[in-house]
Amino acid sequence: MKNIAVIGAGTMGNGIAHTFAQSGFSVNLIDINEAALKKGMDTIAKNLDRMVTKEKITETDKNNTLANITTHTAIPDGVKNTDLIVEAATENLDLKLKIFKQLSDVCEPNCILATNTSSISITQIAAVTQKPENVIGMHFMNPVPIMTLVEIIRGYNTSDAVTKTIMDLSAKLGKTPVEVNDYPGFVANRILMPMLNESIETLYNGVAGVNEIDTVMKLGMAHPMGPLQLADFIGLDVCLSILNVMYNGFKNPKYAPCPLLVNMVNAGKLGVKSGEGFYDYSENRKAEKVSKQFL
């Protein structure tokens, strides 16, 4: 396995491309948006520069990594002669189904199709392809070049051979793969998202403020980042999407998203990506910034 395609040049996509390219794989980074591709490549270059500065890699390593990545704006061109395709598009079921149906029509017969989804059913995605046994979940953690965990999610029809191949491949990337079964939210988000949602409920109910909630969890529970800050970092729209997947999948009210989260997403307050969420990232990263209109 030498040739990899990554679909989506956003935060996760460019991080996945970076990781494969740094490990010596030939990577086609695909996005229909030229500006997104340029931004993704700029991010990879900046992250590599940071690693050079910290003496984690050499300048030659950086140049070799960048040379291993080719950009494309069309799926058919980008997936030619690839052994593995990792989809890292927006966490939207309809979009993923459309992409995987297209991939099934144009990719090589033995190509493995992986999705970086953090919550959506692998079995449902695989069902629109011609070879569901070749479809698997590879849920990388953000930031991808740094975080070592990869959740490997088997769909109902995923073959043992494909699972072993992806487990072994993840180890070659310097990651720690953990195999889990295909249920909404898998393991990471099934545990994490209710905690984040409960933190938002705690704010919504007026128990404490943003800084106070995050401080309690950082100092009392030894979390490196408070839950509200983490929600901002993940993206409040992403958190809402994952909670909705779990709520719809389990029909259990404990997964129902907090009204405050829904209101903030509807207002475009998505966290770091929009410049404002529970904190204001445009002016002062320490300043609490939740408008009373949401509460």
Side-chain angles (χ1 to χ4, degrees):
M1 186 168 288
K2 296 180 180 178
N3 301 318
I4 312 296
V6 178
I7 299 176
T11 300
M12 296 305 295
N14 71 61
I16 294 168
H18 171 164
T19 300
F20 273 104
Q22 191 174 327
S23 295
F25 292 88
S26 177
V27 180
N28 291 342
L29 180 58
I30 307 166
D31 200 298
I32 59 172
N33 189 322
E34 282 274 12
L37 279 173
K38 183 180 184 306
K39 183 178 179 181
M41 290 302 298
D42 288 344
T43 298
I44 294 171
K46 288 176 183 176
N47 287 337
L48 288 168
D49 283 336
R50 191 175 296 114
M51 295 175 77
V52 171
T53 301
K54 293 181 178 180
E55 298 184 346
K56 292 185 176 181
I57 63 172
T58 66
E59 189 72 26
T60 299
D61 293 331
K62 168 197 164 182
N63 293 333
N64 288 340
T65 298
L66 292 173
N68 284 337
I69 304 174
T70 305
T71 59
H72 299 266
T73 55
I75 284 178
D77 292 337
V79 301
K80 286 180 181 177
N81 302 315
T82 52
D83 305 303
L84 168 68
I85 303 169
V86 182
E87 171 272 320
T90 304
E91 193 75 348
N92 177 284
L93 175 60
D94 291 338
L95 175 60
K96 291 184 187 296
L97 294 180
K98 180 180 178 181
I99 289 173
F100 272 80
K101 190 174 187 308
Q102 183 180 5
L103 290 176
S104 184
D105 292 336
V106 301
C107 68
E108 300 295 326
N110 293 322
C111 182
I112 296 175
L113 305 181
T115 173
N116 182 58
T117 181
S118 56
S119 61
I120 296 172
S121 169
I122 308 303
T123 302
Q124 189 173 3
I125 292 172
V128 302
T129 70
Q130 297 171 24
K131 298 186 73 174
E133 64 271 21
N134 282 357
V135 179
I136 196 166
M138 286 186 82
H139 179 207
F140 290 87
M141 304 294 126
N142 184 30
V144 181
I146 296 173
M147 299 292 282
T148 58
L149 174 65
V150 183
E151 273 189 307
I152 307 299
I153 307 102
R154 294 185 65 140
Y156 187 83
N157 292 303
T158 306
S159 72
D160 291 340
V162 165
T163 302
K164 184 178 187 309
T165 297
I166 296 304
M167 292 285 285
D168 292 345
L169 176 65
S170 299
K172 289 179 182 177
L173 295 175
K175 305 299 185 183
T176 300
V178 177
E179 182 182 337
V180 304
N181 291 318
D182 187 20
Y183 291 95
F186 315 134
V187 171
N189 282 321
R190 184 169 178 172
I191 295 170
L192 174 64
M193 286 300 154
M195 185 193 76
L196 299 188
N197 197 45
E198 190 62 29
S199 301
I200 299 169
E201 285 279 3
T202 302
L203 175 67
Y204 181 56
N205 292 329
V207 178
V210 173
N211 289 319
E212 288 76 13
I213 292 169
D214 278 356
T215 298
V216 166
M217 296 304 290
K218 285 190 289 185
L219 300 185
M221 312 303 167
H223 289 193
M225 182 183 296
L228 298 176
Q229 185 182 9
L230 178 57
D232 276 353
F233 183 72
I234 293 169
L236 301 190
D237 54 335
V238 175
C239 294
L240 178 60
S241 175
I242 296 170
L243 284 165
N244 280 330
V245 166
M246 293 195 294
Y247 180 60
N248 293 330
F250 292 115
K251 307 300 182 186
N252 189 324
K254 75 177 181 179
Y255 298 115
C258 176
L260 173 58
L261 174 62
V262 175
N263 280 347
M264 291 180 70
V265 171
N266 287 339
K269 310 302 182 184
L270 309 181
V272 175
K273 70 174 79 175
S274 69
E276 185 179 343
F278 293 106
Y279 294 88
D280 183 349
Y281 300 92
S282 60
E283 297 174 2
N284 183 356
R285 291 179 178 272
K286 297 291 185 182
E288 187 173 321
K289 187 70 174 181
V290 180
S291 173
K292 290 182 180 179
Q293 64 180 309
F294 301 121
L295 296 169

